[in-house]
Amino acid sequence: ILPRTSVLVSWQPMPVWQNINLKQKAVFEIIQRPHARDLPYYLSGLELDFFVKGIAWGPHRYTYLPQLLERHKRPIYVARGYAPPTYSRLVKLRFYGPDPVLRDHEGWDAGEEGEVMEYVIGWRWLYAYWPGPLVDEVERAWDTPMWPDIAKPDWTWEGLRFCVPPYFIPEDGLPWRKGRDAEFQPIRVTKGKGRGKGRGANSKVTSPTAVPVAQASPAETTGTAHVSGSEGGAASGTREDSTGDVVK
């Protein structure tokens, strides 16, 4: 039996924002705002526009988006989720059949031409391809409302206070991540000055010392130590003698 404190309720913030961008956070704010007793909640106006644009910035741009119902027929709404907590919500699309994903798969009911159908779309698929800042890249973004300001045409990332998230994010050519890749450098094992423990007094074998390098060439990767927390293994490498030959 889970303790009562483990149950998420509607007033609690989302526990993890990893790899969620600012516009996706705005989507989450919208679907969480209505009380559970007010569901289903049909989007209209600026909220509907925001969600339609979000679908266009995701993998369903060429599937369900072209087949959505007209605006006055309320094509997108928020429904109660399948999990017990009020935190659980679903985003449902209403579109004209046949189902654009299922129609090419034999044995699946894709519906009839022109039939009004529904599809549950994960809210993380909205704005999934939007090249904007992540929540964890902006100071205090996790508890700063993004809606409705981020939907304004003149919104820009300039002026935001950025920070380094606790997980690796590639630069991807984005200006606010410039120099980010330099913070994660490979570790090369080189020859140190000390003597290895447990060796004889006349032993000339030296113990390896790990030093960071800017870039490791293919020839240097022979001495790269790979350490993984999941593998639980120790770092290993090779060393070079005074002539530059690799000694195993």
Side-chain angles (χ1 to χ4, degrees):
I1 300 176
L2 295 176
R4 296 174 65 90
T5 55
S6 67
V7 179
L8 294 173
V9 293
S10 58
W11 53 264
Q12 288 183 318
M14 184 179 181
V16 178
W17 290 108
Q18 184 170 342
N19 293 320
I20 300 298
N21 62 52
L22 299 182
K23 288 200 173 185
Q24 289 176 314
K25 183 178 185 294
V27 169
F28 183 82
E29 293 170 2
I30 293 173
I31 65 177
Q32 286 296 316
R33 189 182 65 244
H35 194 278
R37 62 172 173 263
D38 297 326
L39 300 177
Y41 175 75
Y42 292 88
L43 302 182
S44 61
L46 294 178
E47 292 180 345
L48 179 57
D49 293 339
F50 188 67
F51 273 58
V52 170
K53 293 177 182 178
I55 299 174
W57 274 107
H60 290 298
R61 177 179 182 179
Y62 300 110
T63 56
Y64 297 102
L65 182 58
Q67 299 178 210
L68 283 182
L69 299 186
E70 294 83 359
R71 293 177 62 91
H72 67 278
K73 294 184 179 180
R74 304 188 294 185
I76 305 175
Y77 68 96
V78 180
R80 183 189 291 268
Y82 300 124
T86 56
Y87 176 97
S88 179
R89 304 290 171 89
L90 298 176
V91 178
K92 290 190 175 183
L93 308 180
R94 303 179 69 219
F95 64 96
Y96 292 111
D99 189 294
V101 176
L102 299 181
R103 62 185 175 188
D104 297 328
H105 298 275
E106 185 178 357
W108 291 89
D109 184 10
E112 302 295 333
E113 188 73 27
E115 178 185 356
V116 176
M117 306 182 68
E118 290 188 348
Y119 172 75
V120 177
I121 183 173
W123 65 270
R124 290 178 179 84
W125 288 125
L126 277 68
Y127 293 101
Y129 302 154
W130 181 63
L134 301 181
V135 174
D136 290 336
E137 289 185 294
V138 180
E139 292 185 4
R140 304 296 298 181
W142 62 273
D143 64 347
T144 302
M146 293 295 129
W147 177 260
D149 291 343
I150 201 170
K152 296 178 179 178
D154 59 348
W155 184 90
T156 176
W157 58 268
E158 297 179 359
L160 297 176
R161 295 178 62 88
F162 290 93
C163 58
V164 179
Y167 48 88
F168 174 72
I169 300 175
E171 289 188 18
D172 289 335
L174 300 176
W176 60 85
R177 295 180 185 172
K178 186 176 181 180
R180 184 73 55 81
D181 287 345
E183 298 175 7
F184 298 89
Q185 297 298 331
I187 301 298
R188 180 164 58 91
V189 176
T190 61
K191 184 169 59 177
K193 296 181 180 180
R195 297 179 182 275
K197 288 185 178 181
R199 301 185 183 276
N202 297 327
S203 175
K204 295 183 179 181
V205 177
T206 56
S207 59
T209 303
V211 297
V213 295
Q215 292 292 336
S217 65
E220 293 172 328
T221 55
T222 306
T224 302
H226 300 280
V227 181
S228 174
S230 61
E231 296 173 352
S236 62
T238 59
R239 59 183 177 81
E240 297 177 355
D241 61 11
S242 59
T243 63
D245 295 328
V246 177
V247 180
K248 295 182 179 180

